[in-house]
Amino acid sequence: MQSNNGFYGEFGGSYIPEILYASQQQILHAFEEIKTDPEFIAELKETWQNYSGRPTPLTFCKNLTEHFGGAQIYLKREDLNQSGAHKMNNVIGQALLVKRMGKKRVIAETGAGQHGVATALIAARLGLECTIYMGAKDVKRQYPNVFWMKQLGATVVPVAEGSQTLRDALDEALRDWSSSHEDSHYLIGTTCGCAPFPEMVAFFQSVIGEEVKEQSKAQFGQYPDRLYACVGGGSNACGLFLPFLEEENVEMIGVEAGGKGLELGQHSIRLSNGLGEKGIAQGFATMFLQDKSGQLQDTHSIAAGLDYVGVSPIIAHLAQIGRIQMTYAMDDEVIDACSLLLKKEGIIPALESSHALAGAFKDAANLPKESRIVINLSGRGDKDIFNVAKAMNDQTFPEFLEDYLADYKEHLNNDEEA
Amino acid sequence: MSQLANYIAQKRQQKPILSMTHVVYGYPTVQESLSWMTRLLEEGVDFIEVQFPFSDPVADGPSIVEACHVALEQDLDVDSFLNDMGKLSRDFPDSRIVLMSYLNPMYRYGLQKLAKRAAEINILGLILPDLPIEASANYIAACKENQVDPIWLVTPVTPKARLEMLASQASGFLYCVARSGVTGHSSHEAKSKQTAMDEYLAHIKAHASAPMGVGFGLRERSHIEALLGKADIAILGSALLDAYNQGGQEAGIKLIKDLFQN
Ligand SMILES: Cc1ncc(COP(=O)(O)O)c(C=O)c1O
């Protein structure tokens, strides 16, 4: 979606310290160039295809459809990307841009670690130095991803400031960029931040919706009636929705994280129930969860990737003008939706994506049988194994962990002695 | 001429360079921060730059970030902050207070209202590091109307044409950032390039009619001496906070004397 000088209605813009002005302008110009450069687009498509496995399938879910007895349910399989999430679409695009700008190092923030891993993967492949900022709390919650980032050669820096989550990681990435802008690129993971990041990330993610357009025509001869996506920073939602913006008959539903409840600190709902308020922080204007004096507040979601205090200015704008409907799903509904998909379709969804499932499942039974809905399965759930086991109160998992730990320690001891 | 620039010009007749010392409001508590500000003003600093804390201070390094987060463990509101500043500015008419914050808390308070209140309590300069001049039309108008100065920042990597534009727009004083990066010592420091200070400041001076303040990374007497004749104000931020953290007010005052006394 084309911005108006970086703005989408009253949201977006570029509110950055003066030190970043030149680097921001450089990205702005580089992005303007590549948008229409056939050579760049060809390389992008080639890398998407041969490195990430695009196009991803549009999968009809017969069992789920019968289970609800309403709309026909399709999944857009972003879980099948290299790295297991849609994050790959964006990091490939930006990393190719980094090459073109002649920079040698990338900095990224990560919450769940999905964007961190995706960035570390492409950095390894393209020979870029890579530093990932991650809230100290998230480092603990998502250690397997930290492990892989390190193995891929990235430096992972735990951020112990503030709430020690994604928003603090983003602040720290901006601070690094303020020092290192001359040879480093800030590779933001979602449709947030100063212009042109929201527009650029949405541009790279729009491959999702473009493919759905073709696939839906091919599979059932028309566009879907309704689209569902979870909304953290908003990139997978922008990716699915924006190509359909002009199609008035296509309804769009964004699902935020309801967490444990609607009290401040228990959720990440910025766009429903009047919980978020307009603010300007982290480089852009959007709806933030904040107190009356404008201090950003803590958030919660069972899905680390949705646990963010702001939201894409593009989504905030489209929600404000009513083009997108916003709803939310609670932690327990999300686990139920995840469980249902496992049992009915043999697909393991990420907890982030399970929010989109939960949102769609609430509507499915009440929609006409001939209607078709597409849910963005933004990522696969392997990374969530510990959290899902805990949420499902699995009794045998602790035993496995204890045995594994004992064995691990013995192995380390033996190694030391040898 | 702006009231602030006027004040600077007059003071400069007696001193080769003026001191601006930075304090985080509410750190470690509101009372202690006010006592520290009072002490600084009693010692005769020319300016205090008071930072109203924000949860996400992206232009600051670890010392100031930590201070802001500690301060925010209390409920701080802009109205009481401005009342406190008003009292200080009445008690110390020979010095000036400059207000610094990030945009969001001030945006929530209302930029129009902020400019008006600032003028009422004789705060003549406002620094909002994440509000670029391009997005400032209303803010600039509000400042003009109330005769307070929006203080703009320039940096060693600000493109030439833009630097000249900012220098020519500057009123009150122009805040010249001495190097890339965030305030104070940080793990990011090594990544930033060295600045050729003399050239940088001379270039700004050629285009700015407003006085010049220099900040970021000033910690030693030699840093201040290097600015004599090239700038009007030396801004002491994280170094002062670090000294305060290590040895309280006395250590802070000692640092100021070491740096500024001739
Ligand atoms: C699988 C998955 N889906 C969704 C998200 C949320 O991000 P966005 O709203 O930008 O798509 C994340 C973020 O980490 C993710 O890993």
Side-chain angles (χ1 to χ4, degrees), chain A residues 14-15 17-19 21 133 161-162 167 171-172 175-176 178-179 181-182 277-280 290 293-296, chain B residues 53-58 60 65 69 72 76 104-105 107-108 129-130 132 153 155 158 162 180-181 188 191-192:
Chain A
S14 179
Y15 297 89
E18 183 60 32
I19 196 82
Y21 177 84
Y133 290 95
E161 257 106 40
R167 120 177 182 243
D171 290 339
E172 202 55 29
R175 293 187 187 110
D176 180 321
S178 295
S179 299
H181 49 88
E182 294 186 52
E277 283 176 275
K278 190 184 166 188
I280 305 173
Q290 53 184 318
S293 355
Q295 308 294 345
L296 304 189
Chain B
F54 177 48
S55 53
D56 294 70
V58 292
D60 282 306
V65 171
H69 286 152
L72 285 171
L76 300 180
N104 202 48
Y107 169 78
R108 294 289 307 226
D130 54 347
L153 282 76
T155 79
T158 302
R162 182 175 172 80
S180 281
H188 309 305
K191 292 163 230 154
S192 65

